[in-house]
Every structure is written in C-alpha cells, then in structure tokens.
Amino acid sequence: MGRGRRPGPRRNRGKLETILNQLIPGHRRSFEYAAWGVVLLVLAHLCWLQLRPKSECRQLYAVATKSPAFQAIILPYERLDRIAGQTRDGNLLLKLAGYAKTNPVVAYTLGEFYYRLSYTLYPRRVYVAPADNVINNGGDIQQTEFNPSRQWLQEHDVHFALVFGSGHADGEMHLDILPLDDGRTGTQTNRTGGN
Amino acid sequence: MALPACCLYLLLLVLVGYAMISAIQPSTRMNLFQLTGLGAALGAGTTGLLLFWASLIGFAPSRILLAVIGVLALVTLLVMEKKHRLPRPRLWPDDWEKGDRWIVVPLFVTVAGLAIIAGSALSVPPVDWDSFAIWGFKAKVLTHEALRPTPVYFHDLTLSYSHLDYPLMVPFLTAGAYAAMGTVDDQTGKLVSVFLDILLVPLVYVGLRWKLRRLPAACLAAIPALLPAMFRYAGAGCADLPLTMFYAGSILYVARWIDRQQREDLILAVLFSVFAAFTKNEGLILALTNGAVLLGFGLWCGPRRAWLGALVFFAGLLAMDAAWLMWSRDLPRTHEDYGSKLLSAVVVTHLPRLKQILPAMIAQATELRTWSLLWIMIGATALLGWRAFARPYVLALWVLLGLHLLSYALAYSVTPWNLTELMSITLDRLLLHAVPAVIFLAGWHWAEMEAGYCHARNSGSDGAPVGPAAVVH
C-alpha cells in the first residue's frame, strides 16, 4: 500500500463543496449578464413609468408648480384653514343643518372638514359630540345628537358655531360661522365654504 | 428663520447618529453613505426616543432640550476622540474598481428622484389625511404639552379617528423640529418627513455594500428612489417610510449578526427594531419577528451565542420600549386595535378571508405601474444566485420577508374596515415596508453569484479577490 494521501473533499471558499456551494467556471459570466439585464430593465422601466403622462413624478411637478389641477385639490383645505383664522379665539362647535344630518353622501366631506379643522385649530378645540362619543368617521358625527346647553358652551369656552349643511340632498355643502359670544346664536356672519 | 432652524435640527440628528456610531462601532472607517444613511437614521431614532422619555418626565420638546441632546452628543464624540476611537468619515473612497465610474448614472437618477420628492413635498402644507389627521395632529399636541400629565387629547374619543394609540416616533421628531423653529410651521416641518423618508436610500445602499460591489449596489439602491410608491408616499408626512427605513436597518443588522455574530451588529439590530416598534404598530410585530428569526437562525449556527443574542435582543427591545408600552397601555383602543385582535381567537375564525387577501397581495406585487418588475426581479436574482440559499443570513431574510407578508395578511383578515376598500387604499403602502428586504435579497443573491465567479476567476486566471466577505463599505 502506498502512503499517498487520499484526495480530500473539494472545497470552495474554505467550505466543503456541495451542490449549493460549488465552483463556477470563470468563463461562465452569463448569469452576471442576466442579473445586470434584469436590474437595468427594472431601472429603465421605472424611469419610463415616471415619464408617462399622469405619472407620480408629473403629479409632483404639478404640485410643486401649483398647477390649476393641484389648486383644485388644495382649495378646500385652504378654505378650512382660513376659517381657523376668522375665529380669532376660543373653541368652536360644529353643527349639522339640513340634509347634512342624514345624507350619507356627505359623510366623507364632513369627516374631512372635522379632521382638518381639529388639526388647524389645535390647541383650540372643535366640539362635535360629547367627549365619550367615539368619532371614527363622518358617519359617526351624523349619528350624534349634540345640542349643548348655553352653560356647557360657556364652560368649554366655545365662542363660535360652525354650521355645516345643505338645503338639498345633492346640493352644495356650505359652512357658516356663527358667533356665540353675546348669545346671538343664529346670526349668519360669514359664508365661507363650499365643496 | 424657520428653515435654517429646521436645517440645524437635522444636523443635530446627524450629530447624534455620529456619536452613536462612535460609541457602538469605534475606530471603524466610515464613508459618506454610512454617515448620512446609518448615522442619520440612528440619530433620528435616538433623538425621537430621547424626546419621548423627556416628555414622559414632564419636558415637552424645546430648544433647551435639543441643546442638551446636542451637548451630550458632543461630549460622547470628545470622549471617543480622546480615546482615539472616533470613526473618521471618508468623503472619497480609495478602493475604486474597474467600471465604478459608471456609478454616476444610478447616482444621478437617484438624486433626481429624491430631489423631485423633496421639492414637491416642501412646496405645500400637509394635505394627505393621514399626515395631518394622525401624525401632524399628534406632533402639534406633543409640541404644546408634555406627556406628564397625559394630555387630554389621548383620551378624547371624539378624536378617535386620529388613532390615539399609535406610536409617537414621527410626531416627536416633528415636534422637535417645531421646537427648534420656535413655531408650528407644518410646511417647513415637512423637511423632517422628507429627511426621514429619503434616508431609506443610503441605508439600503449601506446594506447592499456589505456584500455587493459598488456599481450593482448603486443600481439596486436607485430602485427605491424611483418606485412610484415612493413618489406617492415620500414627504407626505406619514410614518410608513420612516418605518420602512428603520426596518431596513433592523433586518440588515439581524442578518449581519446571524452571519458574523459581532456585538455591534446585535446592538444595532436591537436599536433599529426598537425604533421601528416606536414608529408604527406594525413595527412591534416586525421587531418581534426579528427576534424570533435571530434566535432560530442563531441556534442553527451556534446555540450558546444564539441564546445570548436572543436574550440581549429581547431584553433590549423590552427595556427601551417598556416606557411606551406602559404609558400607552391605558390609551383607548377605539379604532382598529389590530394588536388585540391578532392575539385573540378572531384571527382563526377570519382565516378564510386569506383566500381573498393573498391573491390581492400577489396581484398588487405584480402591478407593473406601482412596482415595475421589483417583485419579479427578486425571483430572477434568486434563481441566478441560487447558491446564496446556503447562506444562513440570506435564508433568514427570506423567512423574515415571508413572516412580514404573512403578518400583514393576518392583520387584513381581522380588519374592521371593508376589506376590498381598505386593501385598494393601503396595500401598496404596506408592501412598501417590505421593499428593503426585497432589495437586500436581490443584492445578496447577486453577490453570491459574483463570488462564485470571482472565486473561479481567482483560482484560475485573473483578478483580485472580490468575494462577498471581502467587500468593505
């Protein structure tokens, strides 16, 4: 018997060569080219997607340049933000009038108004329901019967009422500001909104 | 005056991150992407947590508080400098390879994409519902009041629509910007949102460069910067992209720990998981998944260190998230409350809804106008670099991705919303959270494919050793 050593197991990068860890001949670069092809295809497609009309990139450009289409989106928010400026101090009461109390179509807009006003006015408050009523959407506001007493309004430092309403089931929504400071509730002072 | 103050605040975040890196990974070489990606992400997460803890003991974000944080960061840096352990950032790498000059192409595309996102985000106030009704609102509350005593907002059910129980990382970081500016200027404050959102790109690049050469890493890192979903949500002021960014950091360092079992990787995995858990409720599930995978794969590689690693991970996660978990325990959960539902029997009774959810997720992932070929690319690169399946860290990331998508599918199954409506609105945003895992997998499979080629090349004829383990940042 000769003393020659048996050839050891083949190794790749210091580890035992297995089906998952095997040498690839140096000339077989086709996999690398394929990987490059896939990634470059993805990048080229992504660039093309942003060059299309109505692409996200073009929409952002419209935002940045304040295009008319964008103005139409932002206008309702600017109107609501202006309301915050018109109600100088104190908290607000949001009331529903007319079809706004029952029309499910306006629930979305109502929720939007309430969320935006609550955000813009903070640390002032917009009261729309008793504090233990869960409001998760405009529909929850419509289901709330909230008619606070004069004393409650004074205790909560409410100076204005915002009346969100419509005279017609499919009519334009409007938002009116009513001062409550001197008890003259019901006097329309400023018609501000629309949707 | 607001804009310079906000920019100074962002510099503070980077400074805090630099101090954190120097404390965790002393004396390492650091390049520009590590400083702006890893450093800024660490700084943002740390500052958000510090502001939260300070608020819990009665200090709302203020300039004094920010100055204290800045001084602490500077002291840390001075101490490390004195010990000669301060990492030195390199602005220009000295290990250029052949073909790396082409990096200008993906770099240009990336910068262009991010510039468009930033420019448009900063030109308008927040108008996205979630951005003002949930995150912006909380930022205003936290600017005005400390968490001790608990502000009325957090128990006011008429504001339930704003998800009173959502974590507060993004609101605190925004409140920090308002404090720095001295005013609640939500348009300028969006700079923080833009900053957090686009950090994802350098962080993904850092993760790819761990194993991959510079040029393919830059090309893959350009993909998130050009994704339509990124254009849709970046800079809006929501928490989805910050969560994606922190999650990217967490999975990167979980994978590195599984591969190398180095102390600093474990610390960074814990930190990024904590940041993710404090950013969105989904983040807590993802953090727990990270811990489970870290334990499972650790046991595979070496039981003793695995138990130690998992113990440190869960202890760290619990210790740093404990304040939030305890403080938020009593908050009203009057909206979705996925956490309780996923831990109840409801999840079993709703399992049949997966028949609707899973096909919708697959359909969304293959929606070319939203994701291009991203989710198809991962399959192609996995096939081409199939030998990477032998690597525990790659397998771990596949498992993480699977668990990630499964947890979201289960969350959809228990939603109180109309499922079809909800999925059409949110699915692209939730799949965005998984983008870093997809890109890392594509890159690491690619690296393994190249490693095989390079090894063969080195053992046979030409070239320098450029295996995956040889790549330095």
Side-chain angles (χ1 to χ4, degrees):
Chain A
M1 297 287 286
R3 298 187 62 194
R5 282 186 305 174
R6 281 170 58 192
R10 291 177 65 180
R11 300 179 87 81
N12 181 21
R13 281 166 288 163
K15 294 198 171 181
L16 187 67
E17 187 179 317
T18 64
I19 190 167
L20 289 172
N21 183 35
Q22 58 184 288
L23 294 170
I24 294 176
H27 61 275
R28 281 174 56 183
R29 296 192 68 168
S30 52
F31 278 19
E32 192 183 352
Y33 293 141
W36 270 114
V38 170
V39 171
L40 291 178
L41 181 66
V42 173
L43 280 174
H45 187 240
L46 284 169
C47 290
W48 177 80
L49 281 177
Q50 297 310 328
L51 295 175
R52 287 176 306 140
K54 294 189 179 175
S55 68
E56 286 78 9
C57 187
R58 284 176 188 255
Q59 285 173 23
L60 292 183
Y61 180 76
V63 169
T65 54
K66 297 193 167 46
S67 70
F70 170 71
Q71 292 291 352
I73 296 169
I74 203 169
L75 210 57
Y77 294 110
E78 286 185 344
R79 282 178 177 160
L80 288 169
D81 293 350
R82 272 204 300 274
I83 290 171
Q86 288 170 13
T87 57
R88 295 170 303 281
D89 54 2
N91 298 319
L92 281 84
L93 177 71
L94 182 61
K95 298 183 78 170
L96 307 186
Y99 282 97
K101 287 180 183 172
T102 52
N103 188 353
V105 176
V106 303
Y108 180 89
T109 315
L110 176 59
E112 201 173 34
F113 275 26
Y114 175 53
Y115 305 162
R116 186 69 184 189
L117 279 174
S118 296
Y119 167 72
T120 310
L121 284 169
Y122 189 87
R124 292 192 284 151
R125 290 291 317 274
V126 179
Y127 291 107
V128 71
D132 56 350
N133 271 39
V134 175
I135 304 291
N136 283 331
N137 50 52
D140 291 338
I141 302 173
Q142 287 179 313
Q143 287 169 15
T144 305
E145 283 291 329
F146 188 48
N147 293 304
S149 66
R150 186 167 181 72
Q151 187 190 351
W152 189 96
L153 293 172
Q154 284 174 348
E155 283 171 1
H156 289 79
D157 196 28
V158 177
H159 291 200
F160 292 91
L162 294 173
V163 181
F164 176 88
S166 166
H168 310 285
D170 56 349
E172 185 187 80
M173 285 295 122
H174 60 83
L175 200 60
D176 300 319
I177 303 177
L178 305 175
L180 296 172
D181 293 335
D182 52 2
R184 286 180 291 116
T185 53
T187 308
Q188 182 172 320
T189 56
N190 190 9
R191 186 180 166 121
T192 52
N195 185 31
Chain B
M1 194 58 203
L3 187 61
C6 197
C7 291
L8 270 179
Y9 173 70
L10 297 183
L11 278 179
L12 172 74
L13 299 187
V14 178
L15 183 74
V16 172
Y18 185 32
M20 289 290 288
I21 292 179
S22 67
I24 296 168
Q25 290 182 316
S27 308
T28 51
R29 287 194 307 167
M30 184 195 287
N31 64 27
L32 192 62
F33 290 101
Q34 282 175 305
L35 183 65
T36 56
L38 177 61
L42 265 179
T46 308
T47 308
L49 269 186
L50 289 175
L51 289 175
F52 167 61
W53 289 336
S55 189
L56 272 183
I57 55 173
F59 299 101
S62 63
R63 282 180 177 167
I64 294 174
L65 189 56
L66 294 176
V68 170
I69 292 172
V71 168
L72 283 175
L74 282 175
V75 169
T76 307
L77 289 173
L78 282 174
V79 169
M80 299 315 286
E81 170 68 21
K82 213 154 195 180
K83 290 181 174 178
H84 304 289
R85 298 174 68 186
L86 192 66
R88 304 281 174 194
R90 274 178 309 151
L91 290 183
W92 196 252
D94 48 15
D95 56 344
W96 288 98
E97 294 167 19
K98 189 183 169 189
D100 275 355
R101 64 178 185 278
W102 289 103
I103 202 172
V104 292
V105 178
L107 196 63
F108 172 78
V109 172
T110 306
V111 171
L114 297 182
I116 290 169
I117 289 170
S120 62
L122 296 176
S123 58
V124 287
V127 289
D128 184 275
W129 272 35
D130 281 4
S131 72
F132 65 79
I134 300 174
W135 308 108
F137 201 164
K138 286 184 175 60
K140 273 190 162 184
V141 172
L142 298 172
T143 307
H144 283 95
E145 296 175 71
L147 291 177
R148 186 173 164 223
T150 304
V152 176
Y153 162 83
F154 287 100
H155 290 279
D156 188 338
L157 299 184
T158 63
L159 301 171
S160 168
Y161 68 87
S162 69
H163 299 268
L164 305 169
D165 60 327
Y166 271 15
L168 299 173
M169 173 66 83
V170 172
F172 264 113
L173 287 171
T174 312
Y178 292 160
M181 291 187 281
T183 177
V184 178
D185 177 349
D186 54 9
Q187 191 164 335
T188 311
K190 279 179 89 181
L191 196 57
V192 176
S193 170
V194 171
F195 178 76
L196 293 175
D197 294 352
I198 65 178
L199 274 184
L200 174 67
V201 176
L203 200 54
V204 162
Y205 178 76
V206 168
L208 289 167
R209 282 287 288 148
W210 175 39
K211 294 289 181 189
L212 196 56
R213 286 185 300 118
R214 187 171 285 112
L215 186 58
C219 287
L220 283 169
I223 290 175
L226 293 173
L227 279 178
M230 181 86 170
F231 280 99
R232 239 172 260 168
Y233 296 111
C238 297
D240 289 283
L241 274 158
L243 172 68
T244 310
M245 182 265 292
F246 289 132
Y247 182 59
S250 75
I251 54 176
L252 168 62
Y253 287 100
V254 165
R256 283 174 67 117
W257 163 258
I258 289 170
D259 190 43
R260 314 187 313 162
Q261 310 229 320
Q262 298 284 309
R263 184 183 59 95
E264 61 265 26
D265 293 332
L266 184 60
I267 295 171
L268 289 168
V270 174
L271 283 173
F272 277 111
S273 298
V274 168
F275 300 156
F278 189 51
T279 303
K280 280 198 91 181
N281 285 331
E282 296 94 313
L284 182 58
I285 298 172
L286 297 177
L288 293 174
T289 314
N290 284 346
V293 168
L294 192 135
L295 174 63
F297 277 84
L299 284 173
W300 183 12
C301 300
R304 193 160 154 266
R305 282 187 77 85
W307 284 114
L308 188 69
L311 188 72
V312 170
F313 183 90
F314 284 113
L317 185 65
L318 187 66
M320 282 191 275
D321 236 13
W324 162 249
L325 294 174
M326 286 173 69
W327 182 83
S328 65
R329 193 182 44 189
D330 297 329
L331 296 183
R333 283 165 170 78
T334 48
H335 211 290
E336 294 152 341
D337 193 18
Y338 289 114
S340 305
K341 285 176 185 155
L342 284 172
L343 293 173
S344 70
V346 179
V347 74
V348 180
T349 57
H350 283 66
L351 278 180
R353 294 178 96 179
L354 291 179
K355 277 189 251 171
Q356 182 189 349
I357 295 163
L358 294 177
M361 288 177 89
I362 293 168
Q364 170 63 225
T366 50
E367 168 61 58
L368 292 185
R369 287 190 176 181
T370 305
W371 300 106
S372 180
L373 300 164
L374 176 72
W375 292 83
I376 297 165
M377 178 188 77
I378 187 182
T381 48
L383 278 176
L384 294 169
W386 59 283
R387 287 175 307 116
F389 284 113
R391 302 276 174 201
Y393 65 89
V394 174
L395 273 185
L397 195 50
W398 276 105
V399 173
L400 278 170
L401 179 62
L403 291 174
H404 184 161
L405 298 177
L406 181 66
S407 66
Y408 282 10
L410 289 175
Y412 271 125
S413 73
V414 296
T415 185
W417 298 95
N418 176 313
L419 188 57
T420 313
E421 209 172 287
L422 180 70
M423 289 182 85
S424 68
I425 299 168
T426 59
L427 198 48
D428 59 344
R429 207 165 33 162
L430 292 189
L431 285 182
L432 191 58
H433 300 170
V435 163
V438 174
I439 306 240
F440 285 157
L441 280 172
W444 296 347
H445 274 286
W446 186 330
E448 198 62 32
M449 177 188 66
E450 283 199 332
Y453 161 70
C454 290
H455 175 83
R457 187 176 62 179
N458 297 337
S459 60
S461 52
D462 59 331
V466 201
V471 173
V472 289
H473 292 295

